[in-house]
Amino acid sequence: MPAGPKGGSAAVKESGQVEAADGAVAERIVCKFGGSSLASTVQMRKVRAIIDADPRRSVIVPSAPGKRDSNDTKITDLLYLCHHAASMNADFSGPFGQIVERFTGIEQELGIAPMIAQHLQQFRAQLGAGVTADFAASRGEHFCGLLLAAWLGADFVEPAECIVIGTNGLVDPQTWGLLGARLADPGKRYVLPGFYGRDPDGQVRTFSRGGSDVSGAVAARAAHAALYENWTDVSGLLMADPRIVSQPRPMAEVTYAEIRELAYMGASVLHDEAMAPVREVGIPVNIRNTNEPDHPGTRIVAELSPEIIQSTQIAGVAGKTSFSMITIGKHLMNREVGFVYRLLGVLEHNDIPFEHCPSAIDSVSVVLESKWLEGRVEQVLDEIRRTLEPDEIEYVPSIALIAIVGEEMARTPGIAAKVFTALAAAGVNVRLINQGASELNIIVGVAPGDYPQALRAIYGAFVPLAG
Ligand code: ASP
């Protein structure tokens, strides 16, 4: 029998397996539940059923309660409102009252022995006396964690004692030891609130918004978990944006590298910083749906399993319409040493990051996010003219980029042919092509007006379109 959280004396091994006193082993799972999974007691009961269904689910990382319906407000947003009002010496009783109502309602409905009112009262006084925005925002996860721990009979772990967030906003490596020691007893079930820790000076500090995903990943690594389950309100990730492609296929398995490419192009997946802690040590992530717990969701792994190797040849397609492009032409550019260096120097001087830099013999383009050029296009173009003395310079204010992503691409002939045949058949003019050096993606640039049909055409070249 596997050792459960109530398994008594047991030890966690580096592999993430839990070894019980009788020598049986089981693996540990860290489960993060998002705001929609904790928005009401109906949702919380689903969460409990999920946790109870598998004894390996012994480290629970909650977000703050989210929206119950589209007219509702997330607890975290109410907390920021309270802090904003309090910092201006204005009345914050409106949003504060809503917070009290939500938490006391949850406490009563779940039949937890009353304790939350006292915490809320203390917090009200702290708000009045002046606290940081991070401290105020962190209370959503903090109170939710207190309630869950009491309800589940779990050990409450205070993140401000064992997660250190550096001045750059990223987790500090001393966290692995601190949190690992705190989560060391595999015979226990732990609740670790998401979203916050402390800064190097000991003050409460949050990750950026949506940061409970990061806390879950950090806990998975610190606890040597075998799996990081991220419970949300969708049954895994889709191969394309469902607002553009009707009923895109779900992904059963996708690699960390593929996810990185898709997320960069706007596919909403996990928080940006959530992948690194688990990717570095190879802990798989499983995106699951609290409202459909039997659905296997999407697994994010280092390498695709042989039976999964994408039958569709690609992992997915994603794109964004928010790019601009500057193309510079100059005769015999290829012989001019340092030309691209000086071009990128202009961008650096203006503090502008670039995304892609496709080149030809006598021309080179830079593709960048349009927001960086807002209000200073002429200034940047002038500087390029002065520095590089080009024969011509073209500025395309708006271009859409689409990434076709897949680990299998490097090994499969004919992928590019499929993409461009589909675009030609759809009558889409391709403005730019870039195949990443990693051969993990092909990027095509099209006019923003062509974006939806280009995305559908590319997706349809690999997967039969629904409807
Ligand atoms: N509650 C925080 C937010 O709304 C963090 C999270 O939910 O991940 O951003």
Side-chain angles (χ1 to χ4, degrees):
M1 214 193 81
K6 307 257 187 283
S9 71
V12 181
K13 306 205 291 186
E14 277 286 314
S15 63
Q17 289 178 318
V18 177
E19 187 167 356
D22 63 2
V25 288
E27 290 165 331
R28 263 179 142 188
I29 300 176
V30 168
C31 303
K32 179 258 171 177
F33 291 92
S36 61
S37 301
L38 299 160
S40 66
T41 51
V42 172
Q43 291 302 90
M44 286 183 162
R45 288 184 208 283
K46 294 182 192 169
V47 164
R48 185 170 194 159
I50 290 165
I51 296 168
D52 287 344
D54 190 333
R56 296 172 303 167
R57 294 184 174 129
S58 58
V59 181
I60 316 302
V61 180
S63 279
K67 292 182 181 199
R68 287 160 293 188
D69 55 59
S70 53
N71 297 320
D72 205 9
T73 312
K74 290 173 78 166
I75 288 286
T76 309
D77 292 329
L78 292 171
L79 288 163
Y80 279 119
L81 281 176
C82 287
H83 177 263
H84 182 68
S87 64
M88 302 182 54
N89 278 329
D91 175 29
F92 57 84
S93 55
F96 195 83
Q98 292 181 51
I99 294 169
V100 171
E101 213 176 291
R102 294 279 303 269
F103 282 118
T104 49
I106 290 171
E107 187 180 64
Q108 275 162 19
E109 283 175 43
L110 295 182
I112 300 166
M115 51 95 174
I116 207 70
Q118 200 186 324
H119 288 279
L120 287 160
Q121 209 179 343
Q122 188 194 356
F123 173 50
R124 183 179 202 133
Q126 288 171 313
L127 265 176
V131 289
T132 63
D134 278 17
F135 179 83
S138 72
R139 296 304 89 183
E141 274 71 9
H142 182 79
F143 297 142
C144 187
L146 286 174
L147 287 170
L148 265 187
W151 187 45
L152 298 171
D155 191 357
F156 178 85
V157 180
E158 174 50 59
E161 284 167 12
C162 40
I163 294 184
V164 183
I165 303 177
T167 42
N168 57 3
L170 301 177
V171 64
D172 186 289
Q174 59 177 299
T175 301
W176 312 134
L178 287 172
L179 185 58
R182 185 65 184 83
L183 300 175
D185 185 349
K188 277 190 176 159
R189 185 182 272 166
Y190 297 97
V191 170
L192 169 80
F195 193 34
Y196 74 99
R198 68 166 153 87
D199 68 14
D201 298 329
Q203 301 300 313
V204 165
R205 163 132 199 204
T206 63
F207 292 110
S208 52
R209 291 299 304 264
S212 298
D213 281 348
V214 186
S215 308
V218 166
R221 176 159 175 177
H224 302 296
L227 179 65
Y228 170 27
E229 286 182 341
N230 190 289
W231 290 86
T232 173
D233 52 8
V234 291
S235 294
L237 311 171
L238 300 170
M239 285 184 68
D241 184 344
R243 290 168 300 185
I244 298 174
V245 173
S246 147
Q247 297 171 40
R249 265 197 210 170
M251 302 177 190
E253 205 170 81
V254 59
T255 66
Y256 302 121
E258 288 170 335
I259 279 294
R260 163 94 183 102
E261 301 277 344
L262 291 166
Y264 161 74
M265 270 302 185
S268 61
V269 190
L270 288 182
H271 188 290
D272 259 4
E273 291 146 26
M275 212 59 82
V278 282
R279 184 177 179 170
E280 280 159 17
V281 289
I283 299 172
V285 183
N286 192 188
I287 313 280
R288 302 283 294 265
N289 188 350
T290 300
N291 303 315
E292 204 186 345
D294 294 332
H295 194 291
T298 301
R299 284 172 63 84
I300 307 173
V301 293
E303 269 178 48
L304 298 176
S305 38
E307 66 276 14
I308 292 275
I309 298 273
Q310 285 131 357
S311 55
T312 47
Q313 297 178 323
I314 60 165
V317 279
K320 280 205 273 198
T321 55
S322 53
F323 296 97
S324 302
M325 181 162 74
I326 301 171
T327 301
I328 295 128
K330 190 168 186 186
H331 188 52
L332 296 182
M333 175 193 290
N334 63 323
R335 294 206 204 149
E336 220 177 289
V337 175
F339 192 88
V340 174
Y341 175 74
R342 276 177 281 135
L343 170 62
L344 298 183
V346 174
L347 298 184
E348 185 189 20
H349 177 225
N350 287 280
D351 221 5
I352 297 177
F354 78 99
E355 307 297 322
H356 301 281
C357 189
S359 65
I361 304 170
D362 283 338
S363 76
V364 60
S365 304
V366 279
V367 178
L368 25 95
E369 292 234 39
S370 306
K371 66 175 183 197
W372 298 111
L373 291 174
E374 260 164 42
R376 53 184 179 148
V377 180
E378 278 316 315
Q379 172 197 323
V380 173
L381 294 182
D382 270 355
E383 199 173 324
I384 292 175
R385 278 189 202 101
R386 272 184 280 116
T387 316
L388 298 163
E389 298 178 334
D391 297 333
E392 64 240 2
I393 181 162
E394 187 197 9
Y395 164 59
V396 179
S398 180
I399 184 163
L401 296 187
I402 300 174
I404 302 103
V405 176
E407 297 262 6
E408 281 308 287
M409 256 166 22
R411 290 183 278 268
T412 320
I415 304 266
K418 273 192 179 180
V419 169
F420 295 109
T421 306
L423 288 172
V428 173
N429 183 28
V430 175
R431 301 290 314 266
L432 169 152
I433 303 170
N434 198 1
Q435 169 148 30
S438 62
E439 290 196 65
L440 202 64
N441 67 22
I442 296 172
I443 289 180
V444 293
V446 300
D450 287 339
Y451 173 68
Q453 80 205 71
L455 197 80
R456 277 193 289 269
I458 295 172
Y459 175 85
F462 295 94
V463 186
L465 286 165

